Amino acid sequence: MTRFQATAPGKIILFGEHAVVYNRPAIAVPVLNVRARAELEPTTDRDGLQIVAPDLDRNYRLAEAEPDDALALIIRSTLAYLDQSKPPSAILTVSSTIPLGRGLGSGAAISTSIARVLGHFYGRDLAPAELSSLVYEVEKLYHGTPSGIDNTVVAFEQPVYFVRQQPIERMPVARPFTLVVGDTGRVSPTHKAVGYVREQWQADPAGYEQYFDEAGRIAAAARELIEQGRSIAKLGQLMDENQSVLEKMGVSSPELEQLIQVARQAGALGAKLSGAGWGGNMIALVEPQPEAIRAVTQALTQSGATGVIVTEVDGIHHP
Ligand code: MEV
């Protein structure tokens, strides 16, 4: 019997995390070499949908899922969107090479791959905008007030210049550039960090509005550099500036700052945390030569990074 498959990439926020929740622009790019995968294998010997997630050590029936189960939520909302009153009789296997809970969009990618594979099964190739809004609904349940940037970049699989509640702008990348992504090994609790920033903003609106403006200005300047393929060194400087603003917002951490520091010392042109902060990943911009990449990768690993991913950012569409 036909087996259906779909994948979705990881993501990183290049500029503007947190400020994007307050309607400032941000830039996110897909990480194409780590992916979530959903496989749907129709069965004839049983009724209903069996969910198998080996990475999470889980194997259960959709009908028995907890009400707040993230996989069940995206399955049910996609089925409703596709006008299906009952699930297919099938085994849905979900796996991912995206580190979980590290700000690399693992949740959004898993949800996207599930919605996409259900679309394939029912003969409907869901468009990126449809996938993005289905996944956004699930993100809301988990992250409280997400800006929508994660689901957008994961579903569109292209660099995006994102402003909340505005039509998505795909970003051309005039000259590809290389990022080294270093994992602190700590979970990045997105909803807690986002909640903390909200409390601080409520306590000091003028101060935080200034931080958000500054992050937005940096994202807009970075967009110009990326679209025009201009100075990679200047792009690195903007990453350093964005990191300073994130430190002032209170979402950095000693582990992140240690990795950022060693990456800069090993020759990175700029480095910052990426995503919600307090853990998760940092990113470093490096010259595209193998020696430069190796130097930063080694420095991060020696300083305790639990995982390092090298990714090239280009503007080419990878469906
Ligand atoms: C999380 O990847 C990015 C944040 O800006 C939250 C959001 O945009 O929803 C921290």
Side-chain angles (χ1 to χ4, degrees):
M1 214 182 272
T2 319
R3 230 180 140 96
F4 299 84
Q5 288 189 15
T7 68
K11 70 101 219 302
I12 43 189
I13 310 261
L14 261 190
F15 292 98
E17 50 275 272
H18 288 292
V20 67
V21 175
Y22 300 83
N23 304 320
R24 293 348 184 253
I27 297 174
V29 299
V31 183
L32 302 165
N33 44 348
V34 287
R35 305 188 75 89
R37 168 182 299 275
E39 284 185 17
L40 193 73
E41 190 179 359
T43 51
T44 45
D45 58 340
R46 64 171 105 185
D47 245 8
L49 189 69
Q50 184 79 21
I51 304 168
V52 182
D55 305 341
L56 305 173
D57 205 13
R58 300 201 59 198
N59 186 339
Y60 57 108
R61 296 179 66 71
L62 175 65
E64 287 154 11
E66 299 290 332
D68 62 348
D69 181 276
L71 304 185
L73 287 167
I74 187 69
I75 293 167
R76 292 208 171 99
S77 54
T78 307
L79 290 173
Y81 185 73
L82 295 169
D83 291 324
Q84 299 299 321
S85 56
K86 67 184 194 51
S89 293
I91 298 172
L92 174 69
T93 306
V94 182
S95 59
S96 174
T97 55
I98 308 168
L100 288 177
R102 300 288 206 278
L104 288 178
S106 56
I110 288 170
S111 295
T112 304
S113 64
I114 291 176
R116 201 171 253 156
V117 83
L118 286 168
H120 291 339
F121 177 80
Y122 290 107
R124 281 269 313 272
D125 279 342
L126 295 172
E130 292 174 294
L131 292 166
S132 180
S133 27
L134 282 164
V135 174
Y136 183 60
E137 292 309 309
V138 177
E139 295 274 295
K140 274 207 283 207
L141 294 165
Y142 277 84
H143 299 321
T145 52
S147 62
I149 190 168
D150 291 8
N151 45 284
T152 302
V153 66
V154 167
F156 281 84
E157 234 171 280
Q158 285 179 57
V160 294
Y161 185 78
F162 182 90
V163 182
R164 205 170 176 171
Q165 281 156 8
Q166 292 198 10
I168 102 141
E169 294 184 59
R170 297 166 216 224
M171 271 183 54
V173 177
R175 198 178 338 152
F177 52 92
T178 306
L179 295 171
V180 179
V181 185
D183 193 339
T184 59
R186 284 184 185 256
V187 165
S188 173
T190 303
H191 65 284
K192 283 198 191 143
V194 170
Y196 169 83
V197 171
R198 184 164 297 277
E199 275 165 28
Q200 298 300 308
W201 169 68
Q202 279 160 349
D204 174 17
Y208 270 71
E209 284 292 327
Q210 228 174 31
Y211 300 151
F212 300 152
D213 281 345
E214 185 60 8
R217 179 197 65 73
I218 292 168
R223 175 194 199 170
E224 257 189 64
L225 291 177
I226 294 169
E227 289 191 348
Q228 293 167 7
R230 294 220 317 268
S231 167
I232 181 168
K234 184 84 207 327
L235 194 63
Q237 260 172 38
L238 290 175
M239 286 170 68
D240 290 344
E241 286 174 30
N242 198 166
Q243 171 61 21
S244 303
V245 179
L246 289 159
E247 285 174 19
K248 289 185 205 149
M249 283 183 205
V251 292
S252 189
S253 73
E255 291 86 356
L256 282 163
E257 282 162 36
Q258 158 83 4
L259 295 183
I260 288 165
Q261 181 78 7
V262 299
R264 287 175 185 156
Q265 281 163 357
L269 302 164
K272 63 183 278 292
L273 69 83
S274 174
W278 282 351
N281 281 279
M282 50 69 68
I283 53 175
L285 180 68
V286 295
E287 298 280 7
Q289 289 81 30
E291 318 82 67
I293 298 169
R294 202 172 317 119
V296 173
T297 304
Q298 273 174 5
L300 289 173
T301 309
Q302 279 160 11
S303 292
T306 56
V308 177
I309 296 169
V310 178
T311 186
E312 180 165 277
V313 180
D314 65 24
I316 300 162
H317 181 61
H318 301 260

